[in-house]
Amino acid sequence: PNSAVKHSSAHGTAAQAAGESVSARAWVLTWHLAVADAAAAAVLAGRLSATAAAAARAMWALKQLPSASGGASKTTTTTVRLLEAITAATAAGMCDPQTLAVAADSAADVYRSSREQQQDSNSKHGLQASMQQLMQHVVPILHSCTSQQLLMLLTAAASTGVQPPDGFLLAAVQHAQMLAQQQQLSNRCIAGMLEAVAKLQAHVVSVTGHDYAAATAASVSLPQQKQLQQHHCAANRQHQELTRPQLRQWIITMLRAFSAESALPDELTMVLWSLAVLEYHPGLAWLNKLWLQHSQQQLPRFTASQLASAGWALTVLNHKPFKSWSRAWTEAARSQTAAASPGQLSLLLYAAVTLDCHVDKSWLLGAAVAANSIRRWSARDLSL
């Protein structure tokens, strides 16, 4: 794998320049086969440590190279072969945190691409199973991860939908808590870790909260939403050794380390969304004096997805913002309705009603125009 990766950047650039030429695609196909076979041979020969590092670099290179013959499915197959080599090294205690983090992050990127390109389910399930195998051996390494490495591992696990192995979440949040207390976490790390843990705890996939909102579309009262959310999470929590008090203390530590004053729109949104999914109300002081106050001035920069996510999170937390924030949110949503997807638009409308936002006829007209593709809306978007 070292030899294959050494020249991947230069050859990848050349292949991209050649576009869809036969020679470029043939080179990439040969590279795929060579790097996967070399990794397997090295594992058999017992060269685990060097193989893991090389395989991780090869996985990174997969993202940079153009598609081989067979497209994304070939990339997925090669990724699975490389993950097997890294898993063998990790199980033998011969894989360092950086190699592991890069491999997991790269595999997660390939998994997301396979979903976007609607690959056959066998390829996606094979990659997910390989990630599950890798995560079984990650726990002993977590305590030595940097903040960025820990974030990469948590995000990779969450985005590929793996079931966290025993001890994974507890070890991850304990190490994150220590890093936060040592002031080694940036806003980006805090927001990303909260989001990843929320997804792993509740098995929620959509960053906008849309998947959960769809489950409550038939019954939109807040008490019923709460019951449904608790039921949705209960089945998964019984498999996690992370207790509610431990999770609560971790969230408190993370929020203390989070600087709302300097946070970017996506960081603000990720934190609030995560609190809603984790069923943790941060208190009126934090919401009003920190989150709402510092997010209000940035609302014009929020995307449709971020506005929808923030609105949905506030409804779940059962918190109605002060009027100046509601007006700013409503105006920001007005400018984003044209860019909103059906799921985002349904959440914007739902949040506007639930949060008692004042919307005029022109605002509703803009939403109606944006909904001109309503024939293609799903039943859950329509009911919400």
Side-chain angles (χ1 to χ4, degrees), residues 274-353:
S274 302
L275 296 178
V277 173
L278 291 170
E279 302 175 24
Y280 178 82
H281 196 293
L284 296 179
W286 190 90
L287 279 172
N288 290 329
K289 296 182 180 180
L290 288 177
W291 198 91
L292 289 174
Q293 179 178 335
H294 294 293
S295 65
Q296 181 174 341
Q297 57 189 349
Q298 298 200 59
L299 285 174
R301 298 169 52 198
F302 275 40
T303 64
S305 174
Q306 291 164 354
L307 290 167
S309 180
W312 172 83
L314 288 171
T315 66
V316 173
L317 294 172
N318 197 18
H319 183 78
K320 293 184 179 179
F322 39 79
K323 291 184 178 180
S324 62
W325 191 95
S326 296
R327 286 194 297 269
W329 181 89
T330 303
E331 286 306 307
R334 183 199 300 273
S335 65
Q336 290 292 329
T337 51
S341 67
Q344 293 162 359
L345 187 58
S346 64
L347 283 175
L348 288 172
L349 288 165
Y350 172 65
V353 171

Side-chain angles (χ1 to χ4, degrees), residues 65-149:
L65 289 168
S67 296
S69 177
S73 61
K74 177 62 68 176
T75 300
T76 302
T77 302
T78 306
T79 300
V80 169
R81 297 280 299 277
L82 294 171
L83 270 179
E84 291 171 353
I86 294 170
T87 300
T90 306
M94 297 183 181
C95 191
D96 62 90
Q98 179 63 16
T99 296
L100 194 59
V102 170
D105 181 66
S106 300
D109 278 349
V110 173
Y111 181 80
R112 283 189 289 266
S113 297
S114 70
R115 293 190 60 182
E116 293 170 358
Q117 298 178 25
Q118 298 181 340
Q119 286 185 40
D120 63 278
S121 58
N122 288 336
S123 296
K124 290 183 291 186
H125 291 161
L127 181 53
Q128 190 177 41
S130 295
M131 278 292 292
Q132 186 72 59
Q133 286 294 322
L134 178 65
M135 288 297 165
Q136 296 295 331
H137 307 287
V138 167
V139 175
I141 301 178
L142 289 177
H143 73 279
S144 58
C145 289
T146 65
S147 59
Q148 186 61 32
Q149 292 164 355

Side-chain angles (χ1 to χ4, degrees), residues 210 214 217 342-343 346 373-384:
H210 180 59
S346 64
S373 61
I374 199 166
R375 288 178 180 271
R376 298 193 297 272
W377 283 32
S378 66
R380 63 186 186 183
D381 292 333
L382 288 169
S383 59
L384 183 62

Side-chain angles (χ1 to χ4, degrees), residues 11-363:
H11 283 280
T13 302
Q16 287 175 328
E20 295 296 318
S21 69
V22 175
S23 59
R25 294 177 67 83
W27 185 91
V28 175
L29 174 59
T30 303
W31 184 87
H32 274 261
L33 296 173
V35 75
D37 288 344
V43 170
L44 289 175
R47 301 192 299 271
L48 295 179
S49 181
T51 300
R57 290 196 295 274
M59 290 175 66
W60 177 87
L62 283 174
K63 300 187 297 181
Q64 317 305 320
L65 289 168
S67 296
S69 177
S73 61
K74 177 62 68 176
T75 300
T76 302
T77 302
T78 306
T79 300
V80 169
R81 297 280 299 277
L82 294 171
L83 270 179
E84 291 171 353
I86 294 170
T87 300
T90 306
M94 297 183 181
C95 191
D96 62 90
Q98 179 63 16
T99 296
L100 194 59
V102 170
D105 181 66
S106 300
D109 278 349
V110 173
Y111 181 80
R112 283 189 289 266
S113 297
S114 70
R115 293 190 60 182
E116 293 170 358
Q117 298 178 25
Q118 298 181 340
Q119 286 185 40
D120 63 278
S121 58
N122 288 336
S123 296
K124 290 183 291 186
H125 291 161
L127 181 53
Q128 190 177 41
S130 295
M131 278 292 292
Q132 186 72 59
Q133 286 294 322
L134 178 65
M135 288 297 165
Q136 296 295 331
H137 307 287
V138 167
V139 175
I141 301 178
L142 289 177
H143 73 279
S144 58
C145 289
T146 65
S147 59
Q148 186 61 32
Q149 292 164 355
L150 182 61
L151 174 62
M152 292 166 72
L153 288 169
L154 280 169
T155 303
S159 60
T160 53
V162 302
Q163 178 68 37
D166 290 344
F168 178 82
L169 276 176
L170 181 59
V173 301
Q174 285 178 340
H175 188 50
Q177 189 166 352
M178 183 195 73
L179 292 171
Q181 291 169 344
Q182 295 175 352
Q183 299 182 336
Q184 295 184 33
L185 294 183
S186 64
N187 274 348
R188 176 68 57 183
C189 283
I190 293 170
M193 288 178 183
L194 280 167
E195 182 187 51
V197 170
K199 290 180 180 180
L200 288 168
Q201 277 288 93
H203 280 218
V204 177
V205 176
S206 174
V207 174
T208 64
H210 180 59
D211 283 0
Y212 167 70
T216 65
S219 180
V220 296
S221 70
L222 288 174
Q224 288 173 313
Q225 282 188 28
K226 188 70 172 178
Q227 291 175 0
L228 283 169
Q229 189 178 24
Q230 290 173 342
H231 175 74
H232 177 72
C233 298
N236 294 305
R237 285 209 191 102
Q238 63 183 354
H239 300 295
Q240 308 299 335
E241 77 290 356
L242 181 63
T243 65
R244 188 68 187 177
Q246 290 172 326
L247 180 62
R248 178 183 176 85
Q249 185 56 51
W250 176 71
I251 295 173
I252 292 173
T253 302
M254 298 295 274
L255 291 184
R256 286 174 179 168
F258 183 73
S259 174
E261 298 90 336
S262 58
L264 298 174
D266 60 336
E267 295 164 352
L268 288 165
T269 308
M270 289 163 67
V271 168
L272 192 68
W273 180 88
S274 302
L275 296 178
V277 173
L278 291 170
E279 302 175 24
Y280 178 82
H281 196 293
L284 296 179
W286 190 90
L287 279 172
N288 290 329
K289 296 182 180 180
L290 288 177
W291 198 91
L292 289 174
Q293 179 178 335
H294 294 293
S295 65
Q296 181 174 341
Q297 57 189 349
Q298 298 200 59
L299 285 174
R301 298 169 52 198
F302 275 40
T303 64
S305 174
Q306 291 164 354
L307 290 167
S309 180
W312 172 83
L314 288 171
T315 66
V316 173
L317 294 172
N318 197 18
H319 183 78
K320 293 184 179 179
F322 39 79
K323 291 184 178 180
S324 62
W325 191 95
S326 296
R327 286 194 297 269
W329 181 89
T330 303
E331 286 306 307
R334 183 199 300 273
S335 65
Q336 290 292 329
T337 51
S341 67
Q344 293 162 359
L345 187 58
S346 64
L347 283 175
L348 288 172
L349 288 165
Y350 172 65
V353 171
T354 309
L355 299 177
D356 289 337
C357 297
H358 174 71
V359 295
D360 54 25
K361 290 184 178 180
S362 65
W363 194 97

